[in-house]
Amino acid sequence: MSGTDTPFHAGELAAQERAGAGDIARRAAPYIRDHLPDQHRAFYQAQPFLVAASSDAEGRIWATIIEGEDRFVHSPDPRRLTVDTVIDPRDPLAESLRKGADIGVVGIELATRRRNRFSGRTRPTDTGFAINIRQSFGNCPQYINERDWRRVAGNKPEEAVVSDHLNPEQIARISASDTLFVGSGRHGPQHAASNGFDASHRGGTPGFVRVVGPNRLRIPDYSGNNFFNTIGNLLENPHIGLLFVDFATGGLLHLSGRAEIDWAPAEARDPNILRIIDVQVDAVIDRPNALSLRWSAEPTPSRQLVVTDKIAEAEGITSFHLRPANGGPLAAFEAGQHLPITLNVPTHDTKLRRTYTLSGNPVEDNYRITVKREPNGAASRFLYDKVQVGDVIEAKPPAGDFLVPSGDSTLILISAGVGVTPMVAMLHQTVAQHPDRPVWFIHAARNGRFHALRGETDRLIAASSSARKLIYYSAPEAQDVAGQDFDIKGRITAQELIALNAGPNAQYLLCGPLDFMTDLKAGLEALEVEENHIHFEVFST
């Protein structure tokens, strides 16, 4: 792809290529927008704080938190946010953002593990500043440690402590931290979508950031969305900003420095570490009580769930039924949400954290996750090969906002492979709660051997007067009977979805491999389906 038809700049493309994800630019481009979808506009307007990255007058990059009163963020239109607040002058970005600067923002809701990112440029207003959106995209929930927040009255920020190195107390704080925010950026043509700054989140177990000395940190880089925004920026501009939050006191520890990428780290204590960001710290600003916000001292408690059933659903796909190990009710979930789980894998020194979509009926008294065994997936291989009935899995409460759209317009649930999991839950919920709402269940599999949850969906559709289905097999086998096991040989196309004549208000929900969703999303938009009628969620692999 050339620089004119990709939202990624040369550094990001180089990082993607180096990491073996060279095709991500084409696959991910449709999910990177030049505006905020309505769902993201509502998300930002509900947040009590934003994490921002930019540079100061000397060109040093910093990351910070901007807070305000309830509803201090507004979205007058999809390409603009207004931020009504006064930034503390002790904040290293106060002057830049007030005067007008490129900015990267991550909105993160720690309690629900939701996050979204965008970049843009600020301009001053009478009540704070506005941000003109340049680029936006969603993020998966991996590595977010859940916390609830509250405000304290009469918070009084203390004077900032400025130095060129970390002191022992600051080193101890970093060594105990499980959350880090990173600012990075580069300057290219002002009109380019990839120009400017990026704010990102990193999370792990306490101490995941290793302090090597008073001026040096090593930050692990795990498997993610393969966009490589941070690392790509650092390849072009090594300046970096780091932010550690004292969740108990509202204190902010800002670091600015330079970074190098270690592509073959020697750290063997955690095989999940793919790369290391090696940071030389040049400047430190410690701001006690900087925020009026406080967060719960501990992440949201986990619960022990026992595996009560393990069912092979298709070749390489297995369902796990889960109930509380100590009895009691489960937290309710909505169709489309996922279950964050933690696995103790004997071959790994640290716990593996993954999110799997809940595939069962939301009204049942158990959870069900349906997992595909990935050849290189440490967690899925452990679940598939080792976990048995009676074993215990640690889990957080269900989360996520890939939900059934409200209203009575036709739902078109479109999936491929193991992407069927949220669609089965959505089918359960829709036929039970809204039996008159028209719904199409459209699924693609290689053939009958790989067609998961077939009997369950067939029974649901047969019992409903408003649900219909279309099943596609791309490579049917001799035992697969057309008209009985599947309807169409081939792959789902946008033209065939439009031919359903579901009407202009139909809601299309997509789940499956990234290429599958990319092609259908682009095809539906080309056939004039409105963007806010196409719903999807992109998870990391």
Side-chain angles (χ1 to χ4, degrees):
M1 301 182 78
S2 71
T4 60
D5 59 9
T6 172
F8 299 104
H9 61 68
E12 292 166 327
L13 295 173
Q16 293 163 9
E17 190 69 30
R18 176 74 182 265
D23 63 340
I24 195 69
R26 174 188 60 81
R27 299 165 64 201
Y31 304 98
I32 300 178
R33 308 173 175 92
D34 61 358
H35 64 282
L36 297 175
D38 289 345
Q39 185 182 52
H40 292 183
R41 295 172 66 197
F43 170 79
Y44 284 110
Q45 291 178 117
Q47 300 312 305
F49 70 95
L50 301 174
V51 180
S54 190
S55 62
D56 62 17
E58 286 75 42
R60 291 175 298 190
I61 294 178
W62 300 93
T64 192
I65 284 182
I66 301 168
E67 68 168 346
E69 299 295 331
D70 290 347
R71 310 292 292 185
F72 80 109
V73 178
H74 305 275
S75 179
D77 58 68
R79 286 184 164 80
R80 187 165 44 120
L81 287 183
T82 61
V83 181
D84 296 337
T85 193
V86 176
I87 301 179
D88 189 318
R90 287 164 286 210
D91 190 303
L93 294 180
E95 184 176 2
S96 296
L97 298 182
R98 181 179 58 81
K99 289 183 176 180
D102 289 328
I103 187 174
V105 171
V106 57
I108 186 165
E109 199 168 67
L110 296 174
T112 62
R113 304 175 76 244
R114 297 171 63 195
R115 60 178 169 180
N116 290 290
R117 286 155 75 176
F118 71 81
S119 64
R121 186 166 182 83
T122 69
R123 57 178 177 80
T125 65
D126 292 339
T127 55
F129 60 92
I131 306 173
N132 294 324
I133 305 299
R134 180 179 288 136
Q135 193 179 79
S136 80
F137 57 94
N139 255 182
C140 82
Q142 283 201 88
Y143 313 117
I144 298 177
N145 292 299
E146 302 95 325
R147 286 182 167 86
D148 294 316
W149 64 271
R150 60 185 174 88
R151 293 189 193 277
V152 297
N155 184 68
K156 295 182 179 179
E158 300 178 23
E159 287 300 319
V161 178
V162 180
S163 69
D164 62 1
H165 65 278
L166 295 165
N167 63 35
E169 188 278 331
Q170 293 163 344
I171 290 174
R173 206 186 315 168
I174 293 172
S175 298
S177 179
D178 63 7
T179 300
L180 164 68
F181 297 104
V182 181
S184 62
R186 43 86 73 181
H187 288 292
Q190 187 60 229
H191 66 276
S194 57
N195 180 62
F197 292 94
D198 175 73
S200 66
H201 161 274
R202 295 286 193 277
T205 56
F208 78 105
V209 176
R210 191 153 65 93
V211 183
V212 180
N215 289 95
R216 187 178 169 212
L217 306 179
R218 284 175 68 81
I219 303 168
D221 189 55
Y222 304 114
S223 174
N225 60 15
N226 287 332
F227 289 3
F228 290 97
N229 306 107
T230 299
I231 289 179
N233 284 338
L234 295 174
L235 291 182
E236 295 216 337
N237 175 15
H239 292 279
I240 191 171
L242 307 178
L243 176 68
F244 294 91
V245 182
D246 188 328
F247 292 111
T249 69
L252 298 180
L253 179 61
H254 309 265
L255 312 181
S256 185
R258 290 157 292 138
E260 293 183 355
I261 310 304
D262 183 349
W263 292 93
E267 276 82 353
R269 60 193 177 91
D270 185 351
N272 292 308
I273 295 175
L274 303 180
R275 292 157 291 272
I276 289 284
I277 303 174
D278 206 335
V279 179
Q280 179 70 29
V281 176
D282 297 328
V284 178
I285 300 177
D286 197 347
R287 298 170 57 210
N289 300 324
L291 304 174
S292 66
L293 296 171
R294 303 289 187 272
W295 288 262
S296 54
E298 298 293 335
T300 305
S302 297
R303 190 168 189 183
Q304 300 296 312
L305 302 179
V306 63
V307 178
T308 59
D309 209 351
K310 179 179 179 180
I311 300 173
E313 304 287 5
E315 190 165 312
I317 299 176
T318 294
S319 284
F320 298 84
H321 293 251
L322 308 168
R323 282 193 170 92
N326 298 320
L330 288 165
F333 74 94
E334 291 191 59
Q337 291 190 309
H338 53 259
L339 185 70
I341 69 171
T342 302
L343 300 172
N344 289 302
V345 180
T347 55
H348 287 61
D349 294 335
T350 58
K351 295 180 179 181
L352 297 183
R353 297 189 295 168
R354 297 293 188 269
T355 56
Y356 292 105
T357 302
L358 288 154
S359 62
N361 187 342
V363 303
E364 292 183 354
D365 61 353
N366 68 88
Y367 292 152
R368 182 179 72 184
I369 58 173
T370 302
V371 179
K372 178 183 178 183
R373 187 188 190 279
E374 300 288 352
N376 298 316
S380 67
R381 286 188 289 112
F382 177 73
L383 283 167
Y384 193 92
D385 298 339
K386 302 297 183 181
V387 172
Q388 301 298 328
V389 172
D391 289 344
V392 172
I393 290 175
E394 183 181 338
K396 302 284 190 180
D401 56 6
F402 180 54
L403 307 175
V404 176
S406 60
D408 57 6
S409 57
T410 301
L411 290 177
I412 305 180
L413 309 177
I414 311 155
S415 60
V418 78
V420 73
T421 54
M423 303 312 180
V424 174
M426 290 177 175
L427 184 62
H428 271 290
Q429 182 171 299
T430 302
V431 299
Q433 297 181 8
H434 306 282
D436 296 327
R437 186 172 190 178
V439 56
W440 277 96
F441 184 88
I442 302 176
H443 179 62
R446 191 182 309 170
N447 49 55
R449 287 190 295 120
F450 297 91
H451 186 175
L453 304 169
R454 173 170 51 181
E456 182 174 339
T457 55
D458 284 351
R459 289 190 295 272
L460 280 169
I461 291 166
S464 170
S465 61
S466 56
R468 289 175 286 181
K469 67 170 182 172
L470 277 178
I471 303 299
Y472 289 71
Y473 283 180
S474 60
E477 297 179 324
Q479 65 270 27
D480 297 320
V481 179
Q484 175 180 307
D485 299 310
F486 69 100
D487 300 293
I488 299 172
K489 179 181 178 180
R491 302 182 185 278
I492 302 170
T493 68
Q495 290 81 1
E496 289 167 326
L497 296 176
I498 296 300
L500 298 174
N501 293 318
N505 295 320
Q507 302 289 331
Y508 298 82
L509 291 94
L510 309 176
C511 192
L514 187 57
D515 282 343
F516 166 82
M517 294 195 296
T518 298
D519 292 344
L520 285 180
K521 179 177 180 291
L524 289 170
E525 289 177 343
L527 293 171
E528 300 184 346
V529 175
E530 294 183 17
E531 183 185 56
N532 61 0
H533 288 184
I534 305 172
H535 311 269
F536 56 87
E537 187 161 40
V538 180
F539 282 93
S540 296
T541 57

